[in-house]
């Protein structure tokens, strides 16, 4: 069955949707297991505290019993002799009362510890059930992935390879077009027999389009900054990175930056922008002092092929953690369609656009009522 036929496309879409549903369940169970692990660790510390308190209270109760049975003329608490004791008033440190209170506290604490043990047992059973369910979901994920790979190969793999080659050729043609125009215009100027003032005027008009020369050492240093940023983000195949002067763009991991799909292009473009800020900051060069990134983690939401699928990597958290430490006094705005990790949200200003005028913030601009628009029209 060809993946480009209507039936093949429908089957592939259904398989992809099924995989998404299974992966959502798998992620939910994994998150619950992590939560249970944290609760069990805290409950263990609480149980140890209960045990320590029970030992302390038991020692108080046993010591009190000994004091009650002890016949002495001195007060066991303050050490006062019989002539200094006031037998007609109640002692603030009544040994019998202290012993009774300790016994009551022991009973209460044993009840709390029993409830804690019951809760731990329930969580242990839930964790065992989740382990079985997660193993089943992992098996389903592997099988669905095999089905997707089988549907995509070999025709789709060949099409993807052809597409990558065409994208690289398009990038080369785009780079060569300005050079071709400049060569053509130069030949026309040479062959022209106009006045001496005309070439001077044309040279003046062409001056803004002439690119400035940048030393190779500067380009290498900038490429090294971008490579270090990508490595900090755990970007796959981030090395080596160098600047191709002919294509006027970075080459990362042996592939031109602009020849990748839009998912990885979004990440590498973000690294380019952040790297430019870092390079200017290190060399005390002018920079606006703020950066705006638009959907840098698009590949997490919409992977495009095996070489574009980084959803299974750990790039997301290192991306945000690096930016939190890196940005410093500068400002960084991220317009992103994926939810940042919970550990990151508490350290950043986060705004959610709901698209609903009756709930939270509608969007970057407030919602406009249709009636108001009708009146204006």
């Amino acid at each position: 069955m060809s993946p480009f036929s209507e039936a093949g496309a429908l089957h592939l879409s259904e398989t992809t949707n099924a995989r998404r549903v299974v992966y959502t369940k798998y992620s939910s169970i994994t998150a619950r297991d992590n939560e249970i692990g944290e609760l069990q660790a805290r409950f263990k510390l609480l149980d140890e505290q209960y045990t320590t308190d029970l030992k302390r209270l038991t020692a108080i109760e046993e010591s009190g019993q000994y004091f009650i049975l002890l016949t002495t003329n001195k007060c066991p608490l303050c050490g006062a002799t019989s002539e200094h004791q006031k037998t007609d008033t109640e002692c603030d440190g009544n040994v019998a009362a202290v012993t009774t209170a300790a016994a009551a506290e022991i009973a209460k604490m044993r009840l709390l510890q029993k409830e804690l043990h019951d809760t731990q047992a329930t969580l242990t059973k839930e964790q065992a059930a989740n382990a079985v369910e997660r193993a089943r979901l992992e098996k389903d994920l592997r099988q669905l992935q095999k089905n997707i790979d089988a549907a995509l190969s070999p025709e789709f793999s060949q099409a993807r390879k052809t597409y990558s080659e065409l994208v690289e050729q398009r990038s080369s043609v785009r780079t060569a077009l300005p050079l071709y125009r400049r060569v053509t215009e130069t030949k026309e100027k040479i062959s022209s027999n106009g006045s001496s003032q005309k070439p001077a005027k044309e040279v003046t008009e062409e001056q803004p389009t002439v690119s400035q020369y940048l030393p190779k050492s500067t380009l290498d240093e900038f490429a090294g900054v971008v490579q270090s940023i990508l490595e900090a983000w755990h970007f796959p195949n981030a090395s080596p990175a160098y600047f191709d002067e002919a294509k006027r763009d970075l080459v990362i991991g042996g592939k031109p930056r602009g020849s990748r799909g839009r998912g990885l292009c979004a990440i590498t473009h973000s690294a380019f922008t952040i790297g430019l800020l870092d390079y200017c900051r290190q060399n005390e060069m002018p920079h606006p002092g703020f950066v705006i990134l638009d959907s840098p983690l698009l590949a997490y939401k919409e992977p495009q092929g095996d070489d574009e699928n980084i959803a299974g990597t750990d790039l997301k958290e290192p991306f945000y953690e690096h930016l939190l430490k890196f940005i410093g006094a500068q400002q960084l705005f991220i317009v992103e369609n994926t939810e940042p990790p919970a550990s990151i949200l508490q350290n950043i200003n986060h705004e959610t656009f709901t698209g609903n005028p009756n709930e939270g913030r509608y969007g970057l601009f407030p919602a406009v009522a249709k009636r108001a628009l009708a009146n204006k029209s």
Side-chain angles (χ1 to χ4, degrees):
M1 179 184 297
S2 174
F4 300 102
S5 65
E6 183 177 355
L10 179 61
H11 176 70
L12 179 60
S13 178
E14 292 176 352
T15 306
T16 303
N17 291 335
R19 183 185 182 278
R20 184 182 298 109
V21 172
V22 173
Y23 182 76
T24 301
K25 293 180 180 179
Y26 177 81
S27 300
S28 177
I29 291 178
T30 301
R32 177 58 180 167
D33 276 347
N34 294 335
E35 183 181 358
I36 291 176
E38 294 178 359
L39 289 175
Q40 291 284 36
R42 295 179 182 180
F43 288 164
K44 182 180 179 182
L45 294 176
L46 182 58
D47 186 45
E48 293 176 354
Q49 185 64 43
Y50 280 158
T51 302
T52 302
D53 290 343
L54 282 172
K55 291 180 179 179
R56 176 177 57 81
L57 291 171
T58 301
I60 292 175
E61 183 185 25
E62 291 178 354
S63 301
Q65 294 293 340
Y66 286 129
F67 280 132
I68 292 174
L69 298 175
L70 184 64
T71 57
T72 179
N73 292 329
K74 291 185 178 181
C75 177
L77 295 178
C78 64
T81 57
S82 57
E83 62 270 15
H84 295 96
Q85 296 176 10
K86 299 179 180 180
T87 57
D88 57 338
T89 60
E90 184 177 355
C91 179
D92 293 337
N94 192 317
V95 176
V98 172
T99 303
T100 303
E105 190 67 21
I106 288 173
K108 176 183 175 182
M109 195 160 295
R110 283 175 177 170
L111 178 61
L112 293 174
Q113 192 174 38
K114 180 180 181 302
E115 293 176 350
L116 177 63
H117 290 166
D118 293 342
T119 302
Q120 287 178 310
T122 302
L123 291 176
T124 301
K125 291 180 181 179
E126 182 182 355
Q127 197 169 28
N130 287 345
V132 175
E133 181 67 12
R134 190 163 66 170
R136 183 186 67 82
L137 292 175
E138 286 179 351
K139 182 178 178 181
D140 293 344
L141 281 174
R142 287 194 295 269
Q143 184 60 43
L144 290 171
Q145 187 62 47
K146 288 181 181 179
N147 295 340
I148 293 174
D149 294 340
L152 293 178
S153 61
E155 294 91 343
F156 193 80
S157 298
Q158 182 61 34
R160 185 171 63 243
K161 181 180 179 181
T162 304
Y163 171 77
S164 299
E165 293 175 354
L166 291 175
V167 170
E168 292 183 6
Q169 293 178 7
R170 182 184 65 180
S171 177
S172 300
V173 171
R174 285 180 174 176
T175 304
L177 279 175
L179 297 177
Y180 174 77
R181 284 195 293 266
R182 290 174 59 188
V183 170
T184 303
E185 292 170 358
T186 303
K187 289 182 179 180
E188 291 177 354
K189 293 174 184 178
I190 293 175
S191 61
S192 175
N193 294 324
S195 62
S196 59
Q197 297 179 354
K198 187 174 181 181
K201 181 179 180 181
E202 292 180 354
V203 171
T204 304
E205 293 177 352
E206 290 295 328
Q207 284 179 355
T209 63
V210 178
S211 60
Q212 295 183 354
Y213 169 75
L214 290 176
K216 191 175 186 306
S217 59
T218 301
L219 298 177
D220 292 341
E221 185 179 354
F222 172 71
V225 172
V226 176
Q227 177 179 331
S228 64
I229 292 174
L230 290 173
E231 290 175 347
W233 294 352
H234 296 182
F235 183 85
N237 300 324
S239 175
Y242 64 91
F243 196 90
D244 190 339
E245 296 184 50
K247 296 184 177 181
R248 300 181 183 179
D249 202 350
L250 289 171
V251 177
I252 302 172
K255 296 184 65 175
R257 191 198 65 81
S259 67
R260 301 171 183 263
R262 63 175 182 175
L264 295 186
C265 266
I267 298 176
T268 54
H269 184 273
S270 300
F272 191 104
T273 306
I274 295 294
L276 183 60
L277 168 63
D278 193 17
Y279 182 83
C280 293
R281 187 167 57 182
Q282 291 179 12
N283 294 275
E284 298 182 353
M285 300 173 65
H287 192 276
F290 69 93
V291 172
I292 300 177
L293 304 181
D294 184 5
S295 301
L297 298 179
L298 183 64
Y300 261 91
K301 188 176 182 182
E302 300 177 5
Q304 301 175 343
D306 295 340
D307 57 339
E308 302 294 338
N309 189 357
I310 61 169
T313 67
D314 64 338
L315 186 145
K316 191 173 184 178
E317 288 195 16
F319 172 81
Y320 285 105
E321 291 173 355
H322 170 263
L323 292 182
L324 281 176
K325 299 177 182 177
F326 160 83
I327 196 59
Q330 284 72 33
Q331 287 184 312
L332 174 63
F333 301 90
I334 302 179
V335 182
E336 180 55 67
N337 294 325
T338 58
E339 187 75 9
S343 59
I344 303 297
L345 285 177
Q346 59 185 359
N347 296 319
I348 62 176
N349 294 326
H350 177 254
E351 189 72 41
T352 300
F353 299 153
T354 63
N356 185 351
N358 300 320
E359 179 182 351
R361 181 169 177 177
Y362 177 81
L364 184 61
F365 298 101
V368 180
K370 294 184 178 179
R371 182 179 300 175
L373 292 176
N375 293 335
K376 290 182 179 180
S377 61

